[in-house]
Each structure stands twice: as structure tokens, then as C-alpha cells.
Amino acid sequence: MAACNSDKSNKVNFETEIQELPETVIGKEGLTKKILQKGNSWKTPLPGDEIQVHYSVKLEDGEIFDSSHDKGKPFEFKLGQGEVIKGWDEGIATMKRSERAIFIIPPNLAYGETGSPPLIPPNSTLVFDIELVSWNSVRDITGDGGILKKIIKEGEGWATPKDVDEALVKYVASSADGKTLSRSDDGVEFSLLDDYLCPAMKKSVKTMRKGEIAELTVKPTYCFDGVENGMQPNLNLNIHLELISWKTVVDVTGDKKVLKKLIKVGEGYDRPNEGSLVKVVYIGKLQDGTVFDRKGSDDEPLEYACLEGKFSESLDRAIMTMRKGEEAIVTISSDYCQVEEVSTADFVVYEIKLVDFNKEKPFWKMDTKEKIEACDKTKNEGNVLFKDGKFQCASRKYDKALKFIQFDHSFNDNEKCQSNTLRFSCYLNNAACKLKIADHQEASKLCSKVIEYDPCNVKALFRRAQAYLRINELEKAEIDIRKALKLDPNNRDVKLVYKELKAKQKQYTQHEVEIFSTMLSRLA
């Protein structure tokens, strides 16, 4: 009898403790929650996850009438899929792993007006004691149920592979009836640009972290015929997938035609920029592995300045993504190659090591004298490139030269005079580059910047007239030419472009006459 009284006393004390716990309202339909035991994680489950819980339930003023503990194993269901009452879907979505809580679920979130006879009368409020044992995350990767991923083992860190990376995986692919169709127990490496095995592989790998193990359920629309061989039509494919690791690949040009695969991580975070003096060792290979170029060694690396036309721009751009000591493989599409041997190949491969590099002193760390000297030096480098016919490289040099003097508020009067002279020279030289590469709009803009400050600059008027001619702005071209000839009547270059203008005007007039004649003949 004493034992009975003790049990009743403990029960009363427990009920009292529960009543004193803080209560949280979930949603707007009357669901409340009191936490008995805090969870051991910050994560909560998401819709579609496979949930395992222990629970007991009673009516609001009654005794416990059902418990998973009595059955010896947790209850399992999929969250947010309508497999349980709405109060469970909403309440358990707020729980953390190992959390235990009391949920008071009103009739509208439980069994409503009909109840669930004989245990649950109509319009019953239920009290659940629920412990979230664990859950397996299930993700709808494609959003249409085509690829469902259930996480068996969480991966490390937060990073996941990107579109162009190369992944190393282990997998077993089997049909819905358990027949193994393909497997790789030793691991296989493939590019995420390719549809290896089936489209579901790359789509899933891009959602995984290093070391993660997952079970994929793949609908036939995300399978290849080769994988479906041996499967019954319209049945799902199951893939047990482990992401062992991946190699980072950088899409250098943004169009997947120059790809840099990291082989060895470099030091620090700094990288070369335009004009940096780099020391590299590299081997160039054709598609079949034939070596067509080899430069430098660890003892005597090749030394040169980036983006100054010594190599193809695509190779320079790739090197500018590297860190000191980094080793990488750069694959360059034939569209970007400047190598005669690749005329019959789709791409070439460079094995590169960036031994060291020295970056130029940034302009914001220079005094005024250094800025003017750097501008003049860079402008002259552009002149050399222009004479060599490297117009794109020269144009970049002139742009770079202007950056040294763009902020001249700290210059004295003499320095401002020097910087203006250099500025106008860079504008005009760059306009000449733009004319060579048929960027006529930009050429006219650069000349206009000079004319704005010096309306009598014959060279600026001449080059802007050239640009206007190329885009058939004949009236504007004539205005500039006439003004230039008025300032310098004997200028041979201006006379030649005036002759070209007259020829175009005559051609345009003839064209108008022909059109008018055609219209009259049709009317007649």
C-alpha cells in the first residue's frame, strides 16, 4: 500500500513539474510544447526526413493508452508527408536530436470531430510525450521527386563540389528488385561536367560533403538506358553512394573552356595580378599526351610578367588564379589555343607549378612621384606592345597606366600638368588600339574625353572621325574632319580620311538613288 502511495506521489510531483515548465505556442492553431530534455544539436528535421521517435500518449484528463516503449522499438515515419497527424508534423519539426517534449495537440490538429474510436473520442485534445531519437535526412534534389537522397552518414565540414570539380566516389547501383547493375568498390573519379553512369550521379554529388554516404532513389527519367539494362521498365534505380573526396577545378574564363584542376595546394592567399613577375615550371601536352612545349625547372624556373603577351592570355589567366607553390593541371580548349600543333586536337593540357611571384606595388601605397613614374613606364610598355601588333595587351596597359593617376587631388600643379599629358596620351593610344580591334564605339568615347578638355586636339578629332566612319556616322565624321583640317590644313592623315569620307558619301548617295528608282518603277 505504501508503494502505491509512493507511485501516486511521484506521479503528482512529475505532473506538477511539467505544469511549471515554460510553454511554447507553435503556429496559430493551438499547438503547445514544453521541453523536458534539451537536444544535443542545433539541427532540426526537414519535410521528407525519415524520423525515429519514442512516444506515449494520453487524453487530456486520462491515462496513457499507447506507447512505443511497450513495443520495444521507436516509431518511424516521414515528416511532412501526411503519414501522421498534423500536430506531429508541425511539432516534431521544431525538435532537435535527443530532445524530449510534451505536446498538447488540440482536436483540429489530431483526430478532429470523428476521433479514433474506441480509444480516442470525438473532439479530443491529446497529450504526447515525445523523444526525437534520430532522423535520416531525405532531400528531393530535383524538386520533382526524380532523385531522393537519404543521408546515411553525415559528411565533414560545409563545402560541397562545384559544377566543374572532379569527384572520387564509391557506389553500388542496383535495380528495384535488388539486382546489382554497376559498382565501384575501389572508387572512381569523374568530372561533374560529365554524366557519369547516369545524370543522377553528378546532381547528387554536388549536394554532398566529404565523407558523406547516401542512398539515392532515382526515377527512370534520371537514368540512362545502359543503367536500366536488366531493370524492369518504369522502376526506380537505387544507388548507394559515398563521396570520398574531390579535386577543386576553377573555370578560368567562365565558359568551361579553360579549366584549372588543383593538384597541390599553394601557400597563403595571395595570387599574381596583371604585370606580376612570376616564376613557373610547365609542360604542355597535346590531347594524345605528346609533349609540345616544356619551360623551366625547379632550379631555373621561367620568369616573365603576366598578361604582357608572352604566352596565350588563357594560360596567363589560369596562372593568375594560383598561389605560391601551387601545382595544377590546366586544360585549354582549342578555341583559346595559340599553338600550331593543336589544329587537329580539341584541347591541350599544361602541367604547371607556380614557384614564386612578385606583385607590383599597388598605386594606393605610392607617393605622387611614384604614381607618375609608374604611369609613364606602363604607358611605354603599352607602346611596345602596340608596335608588336598585340593590341589587346596594349589596351590593357593603357587602362592600367591610367589607374596610377586617376586620383590626383594630392598632386601639385606641376604634377597635375604631367598627369594630364599622360592621361590624354593614354586615351589616344588606347583609342588607336580600339580602332585596330574594331571596337569603334569605345574608340570614339576615348577621343571624346580628350576633346572635352582640348577641343583643338587634331589627333583626337582624326581618330574619332575614323571611328565614326566605321560605324557610318558620316555627318559626325565630317564635322570632326573639317575642324581638324581647319586646325592643320596640311595634315596628310586627315586628308586621307576625308577622301575616304567622300567616297562613302558618294556610295551612300548612289544607294539612295537606286532605292528611289526602284520605288518609282514599282509605282509605275
Side-chain angles (χ1 to χ4, degrees):
M1 190 71 178
C4 272
N5 289 335
S6 175
D7 288 343
K8 288 180 180 179
S9 175
N10 289 337
K11 182 178 179 181
V12 170
N13 289 337
F14 183 62
E15 295 283 353
T16 303
E17 289 175 8
I18 290 175
Q19 290 176 1
E20 293 175 353
L21 289 172
E23 184 176 82
T24 302
V25 177
I26 300 171
K28 297 180 180 179
E29 298 186 64
L31 175 63
T32 63
K33 171 185 176 183
K34 293 183 177 183
I35 297 176
L36 302 177
Q37 174 183 297
K38 291 184 178 181
N40 57 18
S41 171
W42 58 270
K43 293 182 180 180
T44 56
L46 296 173
D49 288 351
E50 294 183 351
I51 309 295
Q52 299 92 43
V53 298
H54 270 303
Y55 73 91
S56 59
V57 58
K58 65 175 185 175
L59 299 177
E60 195 169 23
D61 297 320
E63 299 292 327
I64 292 173
F65 61 82
D66 187 22
S67 173
S68 63
H69 296 281
D70 296 339
K71 299 167 186 174
K73 64 177 182 178
F75 175 73
E76 297 184 4
F77 71 100
K78 288 183 179 178
L79 186 67
Q81 307 301 305
E83 295 182 1
V84 291
I85 59 175
K86 190 175 179 182
W88 266 43
D89 274 339
E90 292 185 6
I92 292 173
T94 70
M95 299 183 74
K96 301 175 177 65
R97 198 180 303 273
S98 298
E99 181 181 318
R100 183 183 167 203
I102 298 292
F103 290 94
I104 299 176
I105 303 179
N108 53 304
L109 297 179
Y111 293 94
E113 296 179 355
T114 58
S116 183
L119 296 175
I120 303 174
N123 296 311
S124 294
T125 295
L126 302 178
V127 179
F128 280 92
D129 180 343
I130 299 177
E131 179 188 358
L132 179 54
V133 179
S134 186
W135 75 84
N136 290 321
S137 296
V138 178
R139 300 289 177 266
D140 183 352
I141 291 174
T142 53
D144 59 1
I147 307 173
L148 297 178
K149 184 187 81 168
K150 179 169 73 175
I151 298 175
I152 306 302
K153 177 189 173 186
E154 294 280 356
E156 306 170 12
W158 55 269
T160 56
K162 300 297 183 291
D163 288 345
V164 294
D165 290 346
E166 292 189 1
L168 177 63
V169 302
K170 290 182 180 180
Y171 73 89
V172 178
S174 56
S175 57
D177 58 6
K179 179 182 177 182
T180 299
L181 304 175
S182 179
R183 66 188 301 147
S184 177
D185 296 329
D186 297 327
V188 61
E189 189 174 56
F190 68 98
S191 170
L192 296 184
L193 289 171
D194 303 327
D195 284 326
Y196 177 79
L197 188 69
C198 66
M201 285 284 278
K202 73 175 183 182
K203 289 180 180 294
S204 303
V205 167
K206 285 188 282 188
T207 71
M208 300 174 72
R209 294 175 292 158
K210 183 179 179 181
E212 183 177 318
I213 299 176
E215 294 282 355
L216 307 179
T217 303
V218 185
K219 286 186 176 179
T221 51
Y222 290 93
C223 298
F224 285 136
D225 290 339
V227 175
E228 291 180 356
N229 185 27
M231 293 173 57
Q232 296 179 29
N234 301 318
L235 290 184
N236 293 338
L237 173 71
N238 298 318
I239 303 176
H240 180 87
L241 182 62
E242 177 182 358
L243 176 58
I244 301 170
S245 64
W246 71 88
K247 291 176 181 174
T248 301
V249 178
V250 177
D251 184 358
V252 177
T253 50
D255 56 7
K256 299 181 177 64
K257 292 189 176 183
V258 182
L259 301 175
K260 186 201 76 172
K261 179 169 67 175
L262 182 66
I263 302 301
K264 179 184 176 183
V265 178
E267 305 170 13
Y269 298 96
D270 209 6
R271 297 177 174 88
N273 57 10
E274 182 182 346
S276 291
L277 196 63
V278 298
K279 296 180 179 180
V280 298
V281 178
Y282 76 79
I283 300 173
K285 296 181 179 180
L286 300 179
Q287 195 170 345
D288 61 4
T290 303
V291 175
F292 68 85
D293 195 11
R294 188 189 299 267
K295 290 286 192 301
S297 65
D298 287 337
D299 295 330
E300 294 185 18
L302 172 68
E303 187 174 70
Y304 76 99
C306 286
L307 286 183
E308 294 200 350
K310 187 172 182 63
F311 299 115
S312 67
E313 183 178 337
S314 53
L315 182 59
D316 266 358
R317 294 285 182 192
I319 290 172
M320 288 165 62
T321 69
M322 299 175 70
R323 301 171 184 171
K324 179 181 176 180
E326 181 178 322
E327 296 180 19
I329 293 176
V330 178
T331 303
I332 302 177
S333 167
S334 58
D335 297 345
Y336 284 92
C337 286
Q338 297 178 0
V339 183
E340 293 180 1
E341 290 88 340
V342 302
S343 57
T344 58
D346 295 328
F347 60 84
V348 294
V349 176
Y350 288 91
E351 299 173 4
I352 303 176
K353 178 180 180 181
L354 178 57
V355 179
D356 200 358
F357 66 91
N358 289 311
K359 295 180 76 169
E360 293 181 326
K361 187 177 182 179
F363 70 88
W364 62 84
K365 290 186 178 181
M366 295 179 176
D367 59 31
T368 55
K369 182 181 178 182
E370 287 176 318
K371 288 178 180 179
I372 290 173
E373 288 175 349
C375 178
D376 188 45
K377 175 177 177 291
T378 308
K379 185 204 75 167
N380 290 332
E381 290 171 351
N383 294 347
V384 172
L385 290 166
F386 185 88
K387 289 176 182 176
D388 290 341
K390 298 174 179 177
F391 305 118
Q392 283 280 15
C393 293
S395 177
R396 284 197 298 268
K397 280 292 182 182
Y398 297 131
D399 285 335
K400 181 181 176 183
L402 286 167
K403 290 179 182 178
F404 292 111
I405 55 171
Q406 62 181 328
F407 303 112
D408 60 358
H409 54 273
S410 60
F411 288 10
N412 60 37
D413 291 342
N414 182 50
E415 288 168 339
K416 283 185 178 180
C417 182
Q418 292 179 65
S419 68
N420 281 336
T421 301
L422 287 168
R423 184 178 291 110
F424 297 153
S425 181
C426 286
Y427 285 150
L428 290 171
N429 292 355
N430 203 357
C433 292
K434 298 300 184 184
L435 288 170
K436 290 290 187 182
I437 60 177
D439 189 353
H440 304 117
Q441 292 281 8
E442 191 61 28
S444 66
K445 289 178 183 177
L446 289 165
C447 293
S448 295
K449 289 180 179 180
V450 178
I451 295 168
E452 182 180 351
Y453 289 95
D454 181 8
C456 297
N457 191 300
V458 174
K459 188 177 287 187
L461 290 166
F462 163 67
R463 288 187 180 161
R464 190 168 72 172
Q466 284 184 300
Y468 285 151
L469 272 178
R470 301 296 178 270
I471 56 177
N472 291 317
E473 295 274 4
L474 303 186
E475 291 181 4
K476 291 181 179 180
E478 185 168 12
I479 292 170
D480 281 352
I481 291 169
R482 288 186 179 279
K483 188 172 183 180
L485 285 173
K486 187 176 180 181
L487 292 166
D488 186 2
N490 298 317
N491 190 304
R492 182 174 176 274
D493 291 332
V494 179
K495 286 181 178 179
L496 287 173
V497 79
Y498 187 52
K499 187 177 179 181
E500 183 183 347
L501 170 68
K502 288 300 180 184
K504 276 206 168 191
Q505 288 175 331
K506 183 179 179 181
Q507 183 182 6
Y508 183 70
T509 302
Q510 289 175 345
H511 181 62
E512 283 187 320
V513 169
E514 288 173 4
I515 292 174
F516 186 66
S517 299
T518 303
M519 290 174 62
L520 288 176
S521 64
R522 287 179 179 175
L523 288 171

